[in-house]
Amino acid sequence: MSKALKNKVKLNDTVSVKDFGAVGDGVTDDTAAIQAAYAAMPSRSSLYFPSGTYRTTAQLTFAGAKRPALFGDGPEQSIIKYDGEVTSADSFVIGDNTNAEFDFYIEGLGFKSKTTGACVKVNKAVRPVFDCVSFGSVNDSAR
């Protein structure tokens, strides 16, 4: 975790997706738990993904001008994997095209998807930061 993120975590509340029922075993559908954790986050707080593979079967949308930090233990250790139906939808969306998302920060996460849409789509973001993040296909054995 970078020094900047450590300071942010110290100064703000941190919410773990596991506190909302996410399992991170790569088999259990963690979609609802992750969305619930994000919805419960106070503004300017952090959402933590402990080591594991968080399987999702529907699009995750993080919007609402919360200025969050999403972080994990590294892109090979904390993975968000879209494993639902193959569609043209984006698997992970930041922002809703209505309100600007300011200071969105993602560190130490891996994203995998099998959609034909974007693995991660960013809408109307101001100062987004991606640090130590990987993107790949569910079928990509290297990631």
Side-chain angles (χ1 to χ4, degrees), residues 49-116:
F49 291 80
S51 291
T53 298
Y54 298 89
R55 180 175 174 258
T56 62
T57 58
Q59 182 182 76
L60 292 174
T61 301
F62 289 180
K66 291 188 175 206
R67 296 184 177 201
L70 307 180
F71 70 100
D73 294 324
E76 300 296 328
Q77 293 78 31
S78 299
I79 299 166
I80 300 172
K81 175 182 81 169
Y82 174 82
D83 195 27
E85 294 295 319
V86 177
T87 68
S88 61
D90 307 313
S91 56
F92 185 85
V93 178
I94 300 167
D96 60 8
N97 270 336
T98 304
N99 300 303
E101 298 296 327
F102 288 90
D103 304 324
F104 208 99
Y105 190 93
I106 299 177
E107 180 181 326
L109 289 173
F111 295 90
K112 292 185 179 184
S113 178
K114 69 177 188 179
T115 68
T116 58

Short mmCIF file of all heavy atoms in Angstrom, two decimals, residues 49-116:
data_model
loop_
_atom_site.label_atom_id
_atom_site.label_comp_id
_atom_site.label_asym_id
_atom_site.label_seq_id
_atom_site.Cartn_x
_atom_site.Cartn_y
_atom_site.Cartn_z
N PHE A 49 -10.48 -4.75 -0.17
CA PHE A 49 -10.66 -6.10 -0.69
C PHE A 49 -9.49 -6.95 -0.19
O PHE A 49 -8.41 -6.90 -0.78
CB PHE A 49 -10.68 -6.11 -2.22
CG PHE A 49 -11.88 -5.44 -2.83
CD1 PHE A 49 -11.95 -4.06 -2.93
CD2 PHE A 49 -12.93 -6.20 -3.31
CE1 PHE A 49 -13.05 -3.44 -3.50
CE2 PHE A 49 -14.04 -5.59 -3.89
CZ PHE A 49 -14.10 -4.21 -3.98
N PRO A 50 -9.66 -7.70 0.91
CA PRO A 50 -8.58 -8.56 1.38
C PRO A 50 -8.21 -9.58 0.29
O PRO A 50 -8.98 -9.80 -0.65
CB PRO A 50 -9.18 -9.28 2.59
CG PRO A 50 -10.32 -8.43 3.02
CD PRO A 50 -10.86 -7.80 1.76
N SER A 51 -7.07 -10.21 0.41
CA SER A 51 -6.64 -11.20 -0.58
C SER A 51 -7.77 -12.19 -0.87
O SER A 51 -8.43 -12.68 0.04
CB SER A 51 -5.42 -11.96 -0.07
OG SER A 51 -4.30 -11.12 -0.03
N GLY A 52 -7.98 -12.45 -2.15
CA GLY A 52 -9.01 -13.38 -2.58
C GLY A 52 -9.46 -13.03 -3.99
O GLY A 52 -9.07 -12.00 -4.55
N THR A 53 -10.28 -13.89 -4.56
CA THR A 53 -10.87 -13.64 -5.87
C THR A 53 -12.36 -13.44 -5.66
O THR A 53 -13.07 -14.35 -5.21
CB THR A 53 -10.61 -14.81 -6.83
OG1 THR A 53 -9.20 -14.94 -7.02
CG2 THR A 53 -11.27 -14.57 -8.18
N TYR A 54 -12.82 -12.24 -5.94
CA TYR A 54 -14.21 -11.84 -5.71
C TYR A 54 -14.98 -12.01 -7.02
O TYR A 54 -14.82 -11.22 -7.95
CB TYR A 54 -14.28 -10.40 -5.18
CG TYR A 54 -13.57 -10.31 -3.85
CD1 TYR A 54 -12.21 -10.02 -3.78
CD2 TYR A 54 -14.25 -10.58 -2.67
CE1 TYR A 54 -11.54 -10.00 -2.57
CE2 TYR A 54 -13.59 -10.56 -1.45
CZ TYR A 54 -12.24 -10.27 -1.41
OH TYR A 54 -11.58 -10.26 -0.20
N ARG A 55 -15.77 -13.06 -7.09
CA ARG A 55 -16.53 -13.38 -8.30
C ARG A 55 -17.78 -12.52 -8.35
O ARG A 55 -18.53 -12.44 -7.38
CB ARG A 55 -16.91 -14.85 -8.30
CG ARG A 55 -17.71 -15.27 -9.50
CD ARG A 55 -17.95 -16.79 -9.48
NE ARG A 55 -18.84 -17.15 -10.57
CZ ARG A 55 -20.12 -17.42 -10.42
NH1 ARG A 55 -20.68 -17.39 -9.22
NH2 ARG A 55 -20.86 -17.73 -11.47
N THR A 56 -17.99 -11.88 -9.50
CA THR A 56 -19.21 -11.10 -9.72
C THR A 56 -19.92 -11.64 -10.95
O THR A 56 -19.28 -12.13 -11.89
CB THR A 56 -18.91 -9.60 -9.89
OG1 THR A 56 -18.09 -9.41 -11.04
CG2 THR A 56 -18.21 -9.03 -8.67
N THR A 57 -21.25 -11.54 -10.96
CA THR A 57 -22.03 -12.03 -12.09
C THR A 57 -22.91 -10.94 -12.70
O THR A 57 -23.70 -11.21 -13.58
CB THR A 57 -22.91 -13.22 -11.66
OG1 THR A 57 -23.75 -12.79 -10.60
CG2 THR A 57 -22.06 -14.40 -11.22
N ALA A 58 -22.77 -9.74 -12.20
CA ALA A 58 -23.50 -8.59 -12.74
C ALA A 58 -22.57 -7.38 -12.66
O ALA A 58 -21.58 -7.38 -11.92
CB ALA A 58 -24.77 -8.32 -11.94
N GLN A 59 -22.91 -6.38 -13.42
CA GLN A 59 -22.10 -5.16 -13.45
C GLN A 59 -22.03 -4.52 -12.06
O GLN A 59 -23.04 -4.39 -11.38
CB GLN A 59 -22.72 -4.18 -14.44
CG GLN A 59 -21.95 -2.89 -14.60
CD GLN A 59 -22.66 -1.96 -15.56
OE1 GLN A 59 -23.67 -1.34 -15.20
NE2 GLN A 59 -22.17 -1.89 -16.78
N LEU A 60 -20.83 -4.13 -11.65
CA LEU A 60 -20.65 -3.35 -10.42
C LEU A 60 -20.60 -1.88 -10.83
O LEU A 60 -19.85 -1.51 -11.73
CB LEU A 60 -19.34 -3.71 -9.73
CG LEU A 60 -19.23 -5.10 -9.12
CD1 LEU A 60 -17.82 -5.33 -8.60
CD2 LEU A 60 -20.24 -5.28 -8.00
N THR A 61 -21.40 -1.05 -10.17
CA THR A 61 -21.39 0.38 -10.47
C THR A 61 -21.09 1.14 -9.20
O THR A 61 -21.79 1.01 -8.20
CB THR A 61 -22.76 0.83 -11.04
OG1 THR A 61 -23.03 0.08 -12.22
CG2 THR A 61 -22.73 2.32 -11.37
N PHE A 62 -20.02 1.92 -9.25
CA PHE A 62 -19.62 2.75 -8.11
C PHE A 62 -19.82 4.20 -8.51
O PHE A 62 -19.04 4.75 -9.28
CB PHE A 62 -18.16 2.49 -7.74
CG PHE A 62 -17.91 1.15 -7.10
CD1 PHE A 62 -16.64 0.79 -6.72
CD2 PHE A 62 -18.93 0.24 -6.86
CE1 PHE A 62 -16.39 -0.44 -6.11
CE2 PHE A 62 -18.70 -0.99 -6.25
CZ PHE A 62 -17.42 -1.32 -5.88
N ALA A 63 -20.86 4.80 -8.00
CA ALA A 63 -21.20 6.18 -8.33
C ALA A 63 -21.73 6.86 -7.08
O ALA A 63 -22.00 6.21 -6.07
CB ALA A 63 -22.25 6.22 -9.44
N GLY A 64 -21.89 8.16 -7.14
CA GLY A 64 -22.48 8.87 -6.02
C GLY A 64 -21.57 9.90 -5.39
O GLY A 64 -21.82 10.35 -4.29
N ALA A 65 -20.51 10.26 -6.08
CA ALA A 65 -19.60 11.32 -5.61
C ALA A 65 -19.10 11.10 -4.19
O ALA A 65 -19.07 11.99 -3.38
CB ALA A 65 -20.28 12.69 -5.74
N LYS A 66 -18.68 9.86 -3.89
CA LYS A 66 -18.20 9.53 -2.54
C LYS A 66 -16.71 9.80 -2.35
O LYS A 66 -16.21 9.74 -1.25
CB LYS A 66 -18.47 8.06 -2.24
CG LYS A 66 -19.94 7.76 -2.08
CD LYS A 66 -20.13 6.34 -1.59
CE LYS A 66 -21.59 6.09 -1.32
NZ LYS A 66 -21.80 5.06 -0.33
N ARG A 67 -15.97 10.04 -3.43
CA ARG A 67 -14.51 10.21 -3.37
C ARG A 67 -13.83 9.05 -2.65
O ARG A 67 -13.07 9.25 -1.71
CB ARG A 67 -14.14 11.54 -2.71
CG ARG A 67 -14.63 12.72 -3.49
CD ARG A 67 -14.18 14.01 -2.88
NE ARG A 67 -14.63 15.11 -3.72
CZ ARG A 67 -14.10 16.30 -3.70
NH1 ARG A 67 -13.12 16.57 -2.89
NH2 ARG A 67 -14.56 17.23 -4.49
N PRO A 68 -14.08 7.84 -3.10
CA PRO A 68 -13.57 6.68 -2.38
C PRO A 68 -12.16 6.27 -2.79
O PRO A 68 -11.65 6.67 -3.84
CB PRO A 68 -14.54 5.59 -2.79
CG PRO A 68 -14.84 5.94 -4.21
CD PRO A 68 -14.92 7.45 -4.22
N ALA A 69 -11.58 5.45 -1.96
CA ALA A 69 -10.36 4.72 -2.30
C ALA A 69 -10.73 3.24 -2.24
O ALA A 69 -11.30 2.79 -1.25
CB ALA A 69 -9.25 5.03 -1.32
N LEU A 70 -10.47 2.53 -3.31
CA LEU A 70 -10.66 1.08 -3.32
C LEU A 70 -9.28 0.47 -3.31
O LEU A 70 -8.43 0.85 -4.12
CB LEU A 70 -11.40 0.64 -4.59
CG LEU A 70 -12.72 1.32 -4.93
CD1 LEU A 70 -13.29 0.76 -6.21
CD2 LEU A 70 -13.70 1.17 -3.80
N PHE A 71 -9.03 -0.45 -2.41
CA PHE A 71 -7.69 -1.02 -2.39
C PHE A 71 -7.71 -2.48 -1.96
O PHE A 71 -8.63 -2.95 -1.30
CB PHE A 71 -6.75 -0.21 -1.48
CG PHE A 71 -7.04 -0.30 -0.01
CD1 PHE A 71 -6.29 -1.13 0.80
CD2 PHE A 71 -8.04 0.47 0.57
CE1 PHE A 71 -6.54 -1.21 2.16
CE2 PHE A 71 -8.29 0.40 1.93
CZ PHE A 71 -7.55 -0.44 2.73
N GLY A 72 -6.66 -3.17 -2.41
CA GLY A 72 -6.49 -4.57 -2.07
C GLY A 72 -5.05 -4.82 -1.68
O GLY A 72 -4.27 -3.89 -1.48
N ASP A 73 -4.69 -6.10 -1.63
CA ASP A 73 -3.36 -6.50 -1.20
C ASP A 73 -2.39 -6.66 -2.37
O ASP A 73 -1.26 -7.08 -2.17
CB ASP A 73 -3.44 -7.81 -0.42
CG ASP A 73 -4.18 -7.63 0.90
OD1 ASP A 73 -4.03 -6.56 1.53
OD2 ASP A 73 -4.92 -8.55 1.30
N GLY A 74 -2.81 -6.33 -3.57
CA GLY A 74 -1.98 -6.43 -4.76
C GLY A 74 -2.80 -7.00 -5.90
O GLY A 74 -3.77 -7.73 -5.65
N PRO A 75 -2.45 -6.69 -7.14
CA PRO A 75 -3.27 -7.13 -8.27
C PRO A 75 -3.29 -8.64 -8.50
O PRO A 75 -4.18 -9.15 -9.17
CB PRO A 75 -2.65 -6.40 -9.47
CG PRO A 75 -1.26 -6.07 -9.04
CD PRO A 75 -1.32 -5.88 -7.56
N GLU A 76 -2.35 -9.37 -7.92
CA GLU A 76 -2.36 -10.83 -8.01
C GLU A 76 -3.01 -11.46 -6.78
O GLU A 76 -3.32 -12.65 -6.79
CB GLU A 76 -0.93 -11.36 -8.16
CG GLU A 76 -0.21 -10.86 -9.39
CD GLU A 76 -0.86 -11.31 -10.70
OE1 GLU A 76 -1.44 -12.41 -10.74
OE2 GLU A 76 -0.79 -10.54 -11.67
N GLN A 77 -3.21 -10.68 -5.73
CA GLN A 77 -3.79 -11.20 -4.48
C GLN A 77 -5.26 -10.84 -4.31
O GLN A 77 -6.03 -11.61 -3.76
CB GLN A 77 -3.01 -10.68 -3.27
CG GLN A 77 -1.59 -11.19 -3.17
CD GLN A 77 -0.62 -10.49 -4.11
OE1 GLN A 77 -0.80 -9.31 -4.42
NE2 GLN A 77 0.38 -11.20 -4.56
N SER A 78 -5.66 -9.64 -4.73
CA SER A 78 -7.04 -9.16 -4.57
C SER A 78 -7.61 -8.94 -5.97
O SER A 78 -7.26 -7.97 -6.64
CB SER A 78 -7.08 -7.86 -3.77
OG SER A 78 -6.56 -8.06 -2.48
N ILE A 79 -8.47 -9.86 -6.39
CA ILE A 79 -8.96 -9.85 -7.77
C ILE A 79 -10.48 -9.74 -7.78
O ILE A 79 -11.17 -10.45 -7.04
CB ILE A 79 -8.53 -11.15 -8.50
CG1 ILE A 79 -7.00 -11.22 -8.56
CG2 ILE A 79 -9.14 -11.22 -9.90
CD1 ILE A 79 -6.46 -12.58 -8.95
N ILE A 80 -11.00 -8.85 -8.62
CA ILE A 80 -12.43 -8.76 -8.87
C ILE A 80 -12.65 -9.37 -10.24
O ILE A 80 -12.13 -8.87 -11.25
CB ILE A 80 -12.92 -7.30 -8.84
CG1 ILE A 80 -12.63 -6.68 -7.47
CG2 ILE A 80 -14.42 -7.25 -9.15
CD1 ILE A 80 -12.90 -5.19 -7.40
N LYS A 81 -13.39 -10.47 -10.28
CA LYS A 81 -13.55 -11.25 -11.52
C LYS A 81 -15.01 -11.28 -11.94
O LYS A 81 -15.86 -11.83 -11.23
CB LYS A 81 -13.04 -12.67 -11.29
CG LYS A 81 -13.26 -13.61 -12.47
CD LYS A 81 -12.77 -15.02 -12.15
CE LYS A 81 -13.78 -15.77 -11.35
NZ LYS A 81 -13.49 -17.21 -11.22
N TYR A 82 -15.31 -10.70 -13.11
CA TYR A 82 -16.66 -10.80 -13.66
C TYR A 82 -16.76 -12.14 -14.37
O TYR A 82 -16.01 -12.42 -15.31
CB TYR A 82 -16.97 -9.67 -14.64
CG TYR A 82 -18.32 -9.88 -15.29
CD1 TYR A 82 -19.48 -9.52 -14.63
CD2 TYR A 82 -18.43 -10.51 -16.52
CE1 TYR A 82 -20.73 -9.76 -15.19
CE2 TYR A 82 -19.67 -10.75 -17.09
CZ TYR A 82 -20.81 -10.38 -16.43
OH TYR A 82 -22.04 -10.64 -16.97
N ASP A 83 -17.70 -12.96 -13.92
CA ASP A 83 -17.84 -14.31 -14.45
C ASP A 83 -19.30 -14.61 -14.76
O ASP A 83 -19.75 -15.74 -14.66
CB ASP A 83 -17.29 -15.31 -13.43
CG ASP A 83 -17.06 -16.69 -14.02
OD1 ASP A 83 -16.84 -16.77 -15.24
OD2 ASP A 83 -17.12 -17.67 -13.26
N GLY A 84 -20.06 -13.57 -15.14
CA GLY A 84 -21.46 -13.76 -15.47
C GLY A 84 -21.62 -14.07 -16.95
O GLY A 84 -20.70 -14.54 -17.61
N GLU A 85 -22.80 -13.79 -17.47
CA GLU A 85 -23.08 -14.01 -18.88
C GLU A 85 -22.16 -13.15 -19.74
O GLU A 85 -21.83 -12.02 -19.38
CB GLU A 85 -24.54 -13.67 -19.20
CG GLU A 85 -25.53 -14.59 -18.53
CD GLU A 85 -25.43 -16.02 -19.02
OE1 GLU A 85 -25.26 -16.22 -20.24
OE2 GLU A 85 -25.50 -16.92 -18.18
N VAL A 86 -21.75 -13.69 -20.87
CA VAL A 86 -20.93 -12.91 -21.80
C VAL A 86 -21.86 -11.94 -22.52
O VAL A 86 -22.79 -12.34 -23.21
CB VAL A 86 -20.21 -13.82 -22.83
CG1 VAL A 86 -19.44 -12.98 -23.83
CG2 VAL A 86 -19.29 -14.78 -22.11
N THR A 87 -21.66 -10.66 -22.26
CA THR A 87 -22.47 -9.61 -22.87
C THR A 87 -21.56 -8.49 -23.34
O THR A 87 -20.35 -8.53 -23.13
CB THR A 87 -23.48 -9.02 -21.86
OG1 THR A 87 -22.74 -8.28 -20.88
CG2 THR A 87 -24.31 -10.09 -21.19
N SER A 88 -22.15 -7.47 -23.91
CA SER A 88 -21.35 -6.30 -24.31
C SER A 88 -21.32 -5.26 -23.19
O SER A 88 -20.76 -4.18 -23.36
CB SER A 88 -21.93 -5.68 -25.58
OG SER A 88 -23.26 -5.26 -25.34
N ALA A 89 -21.91 -5.58 -22.04
CA ALA A 89 -21.92 -4.64 -20.91
C ALA A 89 -20.53 -4.54 -20.31
O ALA A 89 -19.71 -5.45 -20.42
CB ALA A 89 -22.92 -5.10 -19.86
N ASP A 90 -20.27 -3.43 -19.66
CA ASP A 90 -19.01 -3.23 -18.95
C ASP A 90 -19.13 -3.93 -17.59
O ASP A 90 -20.17 -3.91 -16.96
CB ASP A 90 -18.76 -1.74 -18.77
CG ASP A 90 -18.84 -1.00 -20.09
OD1 ASP A 90 -18.26 -1.48 -21.07
OD2 ASP A 90 -19.52 0.04 -20.14
N SER A 91 -18.05 -4.54 -17.11
CA SER A 91 -18.15 -5.31 -15.87
C SER A 91 -17.99 -4.47 -14.61
O SER A 91 -18.52 -4.81 -13.57
CB SER A 91 -17.15 -6.46 -15.87
OG SER A 91 -15.84 -6.01 -16.06
N PHE A 92 -17.27 -3.36 -14.69
CA PHE A 92 -17.03 -2.51 -13.52
C PHE A 92 -17.11 -1.07 -13.98
O PHE A 92 -16.35 -0.67 -14.87
CB PHE A 92 -15.65 -2.83 -12.94
CG PHE A 92 -15.32 -2.12 -11.67
CD1 PHE A 92 -15.71 -2.64 -10.45
CD2 PHE A 92 -14.60 -0.94 -11.67
CE1 PHE A 92 -15.39 -1.99 -9.26
CE2 PHE A 92 -14.28 -0.29 -10.50
CZ PHE A 92 -14.67 -0.82 -9.29
N VAL A 93 -18.05 -0.28 -13.44
CA VAL A 93 -18.27 1.08 -13.91
C VAL A 93 -18.09 2.06 -12.76
O VAL A 93 -18.66 1.88 -11.68
CB VAL A 93 -19.69 1.24 -14.52
CG1 VAL A 93 -19.92 2.67 -14.96
CG2 VAL A 93 -19.87 0.28 -15.69
N ILE A 94 -17.30 3.08 -13.01
CA ILE A 94 -17.10 4.16 -12.04
C ILE A 94 -17.84 5.38 -12.57
O ILE A 94 -17.57 5.85 -13.68
CB ILE A 94 -15.61 4.49 -11.88
CG1 ILE A 94 -14.84 3.27 -11.37
CG2 ILE A 94 -15.43 5.69 -10.95
CD1 ILE A 94 -13.34 3.40 -11.47
N GLY A 95 -18.79 5.87 -11.82
CA GLY A 95 -19.57 7.04 -12.24
C GLY A 95 -20.80 6.66 -13.02
O GLY A 95 -20.93 5.56 -13.53
N ASP A 96 -21.73 7.60 -13.10
CA ASP A 96 -23.01 7.33 -13.74
C ASP A 96 -23.33 8.28 -14.88
O ASP A 96 -24.46 8.37 -15.33
CB ASP A 96 -24.13 7.36 -12.70
CG ASP A 96 -24.23 8.71 -12.00
OD1 ASP A 96 -23.56 9.68 -12.40
OD2 ASP A 96 -25.01 8.80 -11.04
N ASN A 97 -22.36 9.03 -15.37
CA ASN A 97 -22.54 10.02 -16.44
C ASN A 97 -23.42 11.18 -16.02
O ASN A 97 -23.78 12.02 -16.84
CB ASN A 97 -23.11 9.38 -17.71
CG ASN A 97 -22.01 8.91 -18.62
OD1 ASN A 97 -20.88 9.39 -18.57
ND2 ASN A 97 -22.32 7.95 -19.47
N THR A 98 -23.83 11.27 -14.77
CA THR A 98 -24.64 12.38 -14.28
C THR A 98 -23.80 13.31 -13.42
O THR A 98 -23.74 14.50 -13.66
CB THR A 98 -25.84 11.85 -13.46
OG1 THR A 98 -26.58 10.96 -14.27
CG2 THR A 98 -26.73 12.99 -13.02
N ASN A 99 -23.17 12.75 -12.40
CA ASN A 99 -22.35 13.53 -11.48
C ASN A 99 -20.89 13.18 -11.68
O ASN A 99 -20.55 12.02 -11.89
CB ASN A 99 -22.73 13.22 -10.02
CG ASN A 99 -24.17 13.53 -9.74
OD1 ASN A 99 -24.62 14.65 -9.94
ND2 ASN A 99 -24.91 12.52 -9.30
N ALA A 100 -20.04 14.17 -11.59
CA ALA A 100 -18.60 13.91 -11.69
C ALA A 100 -18.14 13.15 -10.45
O ALA A 100 -18.59 13.41 -9.35
CB ALA A 100 -17.83 15.21 -11.82
N GLU A 101 -17.27 12.19 -10.67
CA GLU A 101 -16.67 11.42 -9.58
C GLU A 101 -15.28 12.01 -9.34
O GLU A 101 -14.41 11.93 -10.20
CB GLU A 101 -16.56 9.94 -9.94
CG GLU A 101 -17.90 9.27 -10.18
CD GLU A 101 -18.78 9.23 -8.96
OE1 GLU A 101 -18.26 9.11 -7.83
OE2 GLU A 101 -20.00 9.32 -9.12
N PHE A 102 -15.05 12.63 -8.21
CA PHE A 102 -13.79 13.28 -7.90
C PHE A 102 -12.89 12.36 -7.09
O PHE A 102 -13.34 11.66 -6.20
CB PHE A 102 -14.03 14.56 -7.09
CG PHE A 102 -14.62 15.67 -7.90
CD1 PHE A 102 -15.99 15.81 -8.01
CD2 PHE A 102 -13.80 16.58 -8.56
CE1 PHE A 102 -16.54 16.83 -8.75
CE2 PHE A 102 -14.34 17.60 -9.30
CZ PHE A 102 -15.71 17.74 -9.40
N ASP A 103 -11.60 12.43 -7.39
CA ASP A 103 -10.57 11.79 -6.57
C ASP A 103 -10.80 10.31 -6.34
O ASP A 103 -10.58 9.80 -5.24
CB ASP A 103 -10.43 12.52 -5.23
CG ASP A 103 -10.14 14.00 -5.40
OD1 ASP A 103 -9.40 14.34 -6.34
OD2 ASP A 103 -10.65 14.79 -4.60
N PHE A 104 -11.25 9.62 -7.34
CA PHE A 104 -11.45 8.17 -7.24
C PHE A 104 -10.07 7.52 -7.27
O PHE A 104 -9.26 7.79 -8.14
CB PHE A 104 -12.29 7.68 -8.42
CG PHE A 104 -13.08 6.45 -8.11
CD1 PHE A 104 -14.40 6.55 -7.76
CD2 PHE A 104 -12.49 5.20 -8.17
CE1 PHE A 104 -15.15 5.42 -7.47
CE2 PHE A 104 -13.22 4.06 -7.88
CZ PHE A 104 -14.55 4.16 -7.53
N TYR A 105 -9.78 6.66 -6.30
CA TYR A 105 -8.44 6.07 -6.15
C TYR A 105 -8.56 4.55 -6.07
O TYR A 105 -9.31 4.03 -5.25
CB TYR A 105 -7.80 6.61 -4.87
CG TYR A 105 -6.35 6.27 -4.72
CD1 TYR A 105 -5.37 7.15 -5.16
CD2 TYR A 105 -5.96 5.08 -4.14
CE1 TYR A 105 -4.02 6.84 -5.03
CE2 TYR A 105 -4.61 4.76 -4.00
CZ TYR A 105 -3.66 5.64 -4.45
OH TYR A 105 -2.34 5.33 -4.31
N ILE A 106 -7.83 3.85 -6.93
CA ILE A 106 -7.82 2.39 -6.91
C ILE A 106 -6.38 1.93 -6.84
O ILE A 106 -5.55 2.32 -7.66
CB ILE A 106 -8.52 1.79 -8.14
CG1 ILE A 106 -9.98 2.23 -8.20
CG2 ILE A 106 -8.42 0.26 -8.12
CD1 ILE A 106 -10.73 1.75 -9.42
N GLU A 107 -6.08 1.09 -5.85
CA GLU A 107 -4.71 0.59 -5.68
C GLU A 107 -4.73 -0.88 -5.29
O GLU A 107 -5.53 -1.33 -4.48
CB GLU A 107 -3.99 1.37 -4.59
CG GLU A 107 -2.56 0.88 -4.37
CD GLU A 107 -1.83 1.62 -3.27
OE1 GLU A 107 -2.06 2.83 -3.09
OE2 GLU A 107 -1.03 0.98 -2.58
N GLY A 108 -3.82 -1.65 -5.90
CA GLY A 108 -3.60 -3.03 -5.49
C GLY A 108 -4.72 -3.98 -5.79
O GLY A 108 -4.95 -4.92 -5.04
N LEU A 109 -5.42 -3.76 -6.92
CA LEU A 109 -6.50 -4.65 -7.32
C LEU A 109 -6.26 -5.19 -8.73
O LEU A 109 -5.70 -4.49 -9.57
CB LEU A 109 -7.85 -3.92 -7.30
CG LEU A 109 -8.44 -3.57 -5.94
CD1 LEU A 109 -9.67 -2.70 -6.11
CD2 LEU A 109 -8.78 -4.82 -5.16
N GLY A 110 -6.70 -6.41 -8.96
CA GLY A 110 -6.70 -6.99 -10.29
C GLY A 110 -8.14 -7.09 -10.76
O GLY A 110 -9.03 -7.43 -9.98
N PHE A 111 -8.37 -6.78 -12.02
CA PHE A 111 -9.71 -6.87 -12.61
C PHE A 111 -9.65 -7.87 -13.76
O PHE A 111 -8.79 -7.76 -14.63
CB PHE A 111 -10.17 -5.51 -13.14
CG PHE A 111 -10.37 -4.49 -12.07
CD1 PHE A 111 -9.33 -3.66 -11.68
CD2 PHE A 111 -11.59 -4.35 -11.44
CE1 PHE A 111 -9.50 -2.71 -10.69
CE2 PHE A 111 -11.78 -3.41 -10.44
CZ PHE A 111 -10.73 -2.58 -10.07
N LYS A 112 -10.59 -8.82 -13.76
CA LYS A 112 -10.70 -9.78 -14.85
C LYS A 112 -12.15 -9.80 -15.31
O LYS A 112 -13.06 -9.69 -14.51
CB LYS A 112 -10.30 -11.18 -14.39
CG LYS A 112 -8.84 -11.32 -14.05
CD LYS A 112 -8.52 -12.76 -13.71
CE LYS A 112 -7.05 -12.93 -13.39
NZ LYS A 112 -6.72 -14.34 -13.16
N SER A 113 -12.32 -9.97 -16.63
CA SER A 113 -13.67 -9.96 -17.16
C SER A 113 -13.77 -10.85 -18.38
O SER A 113 -12.79 -11.03 -19.10
CB SER A 113 -14.07 -8.52 -17.54
OG SER A 113 -15.37 -8.51 -18.09
N LYS A 114 -14.96 -11.37 -18.61
CA LYS A 114 -15.19 -12.12 -19.84
C LYS A 114 -16.25 -11.44 -20.71
O LYS A 114 -16.77 -12.04 -21.64
CB LYS A 114 -15.55 -13.58 -19.55
CG LYS A 114 -16.89 -13.81 -18.91
CD LYS A 114 -17.13 -15.30 -18.76
CE LYS A 114 -18.54 -15.60 -18.31
NZ LYS A 114 -18.79 -17.02 -18.17
N THR A 115 -16.59 -10.19 -20.41
CA THR A 115 -17.53 -9.47 -21.27
C THR A 115 -16.81 -8.98 -22.50
O THR A 115 -15.58 -8.92 -22.55
CB THR A 115 -18.14 -8.23 -20.55
OG1 THR A 115 -17.12 -7.27 -20.36
CG2 THR A 115 -18.78 -8.61 -19.24
N THR A 116 -17.57 -8.59 -23.50
CA THR A 116 -16.97 -7.96 -24.67
C THR A 116 -16.94 -6.44 -24.49
O THR A 116 -16.42 -5.73 -25.33
CB THR A 116 -17.73 -8.33 -25.96
OG1 THR A 116 -19.10 -7.93 -25.82
CG2 THR A 116 -17.65 -9.83 -26.23
#
